[in-house]
Amino acid sequence: MTQTTKTQKMLTFEEYLTYDDGTDTRYELVEGQYEDKVFTGATCMESVVIADWALTVEQVFNSANRP
Protein backbone atom coordinates (compact mmCIF):
# COMPACT_ATOMS: atom_id res chain seq x y z
CA MET A 1 0.00 0.00 0.00
CA THR A 2 1.36 3.41 -0.97
CA GLN A 3 0.63 6.48 1.14
CA THR A 4 0.57 9.84 -0.62
CA THR A 5 0.90 13.20 1.03
CA LYS A 6 -0.68 16.28 -0.45
CA THR A 7 1.71 19.21 -0.25
CA GLN A 8 0.76 22.82 -0.63
CA LYS A 9 2.79 25.26 -2.65
CA MET A 10 4.83 27.61 -0.50
CA LEU A 11 3.67 31.17 -1.13
CA THR A 12 5.84 34.19 -1.68
CA PHE A 13 5.38 37.49 0.11
CA GLU A 14 4.27 39.07 -3.17
CA GLU A 15 1.56 36.41 -3.57
CA TYR A 16 0.46 37.06 0.02
CA LEU A 17 0.11 40.80 -0.64
CA THR A 18 -2.13 40.23 -3.67
CA TYR A 19 -4.23 37.37 -2.23
CA ASP A 20 -7.98 37.99 -2.06
CA ASP A 21 -10.41 35.18 -1.33
CA GLY A 22 -13.44 37.47 -1.46
CA THR A 23 -14.00 37.47 2.31
CA ASP A 24 -13.12 39.80 5.18
CA THR A 25 -10.90 37.13 6.75
CA ARG A 26 -7.50 38.37 7.82
CA TYR A 27 -4.54 36.12 7.08
CA GLU A 28 -0.93 35.89 8.17
CA LEU A 29 1.80 34.32 6.08
CA VAL A 30 3.54 31.76 8.29
CA GLU A 31 6.34 29.69 6.79
CA GLY A 32 4.86 30.12 3.32
CA GLN A 33 1.29 29.14 4.30
CA TYR A 34 -1.81 31.21 5.03
CA GLU A 35 -3.11 31.16 8.60
CA ASP A 36 -6.42 32.85 9.25
CA LYS A 37 -6.63 35.23 12.20
CA VAL A 38 -9.87 35.26 14.16
CA PHE A 39 -10.59 38.01 16.66
CA THR A 40 -13.54 37.51 19.00
CA GLY A 41 -14.81 38.82 22.32
CA ALA A 42 -11.99 39.71 24.69
CA THR A 43 -9.23 38.94 22.17
CA CYS A 44 -6.93 41.94 21.68
CA MET A 45 -6.95 43.04 18.07
CA GLU A 46 -3.68 43.58 16.21
CA SER A 47 -2.69 46.46 13.97
CA VAL A 48 0.30 46.83 11.70
CA VAL A 49 -0.34 50.58 11.64
CA ILE A 50 -0.80 51.20 15.38
CA ALA A 51 1.87 49.18 17.18
CA ASP A 52 0.47 49.67 20.70
CA TRP A 53 -3.14 48.93 19.78
CA ALA A 54 -4.83 47.53 22.89
CA LEU A 55 -8.52 47.29 22.07
CA THR A 56 -10.56 44.11 22.16
CA VAL A 57 -13.30 43.18 19.72
CA GLU A 58 -15.90 43.78 22.47
CA GLN A 59 -14.58 47.31 23.10
CA VAL A 60 -14.75 48.20 19.41
CA PHE A 61 -18.33 46.94 18.99
CA ASN A 62 -19.49 48.44 22.28
CA SER A 63 -18.16 51.87 21.26
CA ALA A 64 -20.00 51.60 17.94
CA ASN A 65 -23.30 51.00 19.76
CA ARG A 66 -23.10 54.15 21.91
CA PRO A 67 -25.55 56.95 21.11
Side-chain angles (χ1 to χ4, degrees):
M1 181 195 264
T2 304
Q3 185 176 8
T4 58
T5 303
K6 183 179 179 183
T7 58
Q8 293 181 333
K9 174 186 175 240
M10 298 298 276
L11 302 167
T12 66
F13 185 64
E14 290 76 20
E15 290 171 317
Y16 168 75
L17 292 176
T18 60
Y19 181 72
D20 181 7
D21 66 355
T23 69
D24 291 332
T25 303
R26 179 175 172 200
Y27 294 95
E28 282 188 32
L29 186 63
V30 179
E31 296 183 13
Q33 301 294 315
Y34 289 121
E35 286 189 7
D36 59 333
K37 296 290 288 182
V38 179
F39 300 101
T40 59
T43 304
C44 281
M45 296 170 37
E46 299 172 358
S47 171
V48 296
V49 177
I50 305 169
D52 58 348
W53 185 271
L55 293 176
T56 66
V57 174
E58 288 174 340
Q59 290 171 317
V60 171
F61 282 110
N62 288 339
S63 69
N65 293 329
R66 290 186 185 168

